[in-house]
Amino acid sequence: MQKGSVLGGSLLVAGTSIGGGMLALPVLTSQAGFTPSLVVYFFCWLFMASTGLLFLEISQWMKGEANIISMAERTLGKPGKYFAWIVYLFLFYCLTVAYMVGCGNILVELSQYA
């Protein structure tokens, strides 16, 4: 394994983990209180850890390099590939909307002071 691929993979995981939703979660869940927020965070962590381990297992089964789309195609066929593309694009659409809303709120706050 090359040194650059480990660094690139680490940056990819860090960049997708610290996204728009991760930055907004504490603000939104603080209204419910500490204990309900802690329970929600625990279940989110449990779900993310489970899916991460499932992705790890299926990537170990794949020969050569694999991504989400190729894993879906090899295991679920063409319908799985198309479904994975739709879900993947929907995820990026949601992230784009989250960043646009967040930046819009910042711009509104800054324009009030100008």
Side-chain angles (χ1 to χ4, degrees), residues 12-25:
L12 182 66
V13 169
T16 54
S17 297
I18 306 171
M22 201 60 141
L23 297 174
L25 278 174

Side-chain angles (χ1 to χ4, degrees), residues 72 76-84:
L76 303 172
K78 290 281 185 192
K81 176 184 177 182
Y82 296 136
F83 182 73

Side-chain angles (χ1 to χ4, degrees), residues 25-26 29-30 32-46:
L25 278 174
T29 58
S30 66
F34 180 75
T35 305
S37 298
L38 191 63
V39 170
V40 167
Y41 287 149
F42 175 74
F43 282 118
C44 287
W45 171 82
L46 187 65

Side-chain angles (χ1 to χ4, degrees), residues 46-107:
L46 187 65
F47 179 75
M48 289 187 299
S50 301
T51 56
L53 290 172
L54 289 171
F55 270 119
L56 175 64
E57 185 166 341
I58 197 166
S59 69
Q60 294 296 316
W61 288 352
M62 298 289 146
K63 303 286 188 264
E65 292 187 18
N67 56 34
I68 293 174
I69 305 300
S70 64
M71 287 183 215
E73 183 177 21
R74 291 179 195 166
T75 56
L76 303 172
K78 290 281 185 192
K81 176 184 177 182
Y82 296 136
F83 182 73
W85 265 113
I86 291 168
V87 170
Y88 210 49
L89 292 174
F90 182 70
L91 169 70
F92 286 131
Y93 173 75
C94 291
L95 286 173
T96 302
V97 169
Y99 282 121
M100 294 295 265
V101 168
C103 291
N105 290 337
I106 292 171
L107 288 175

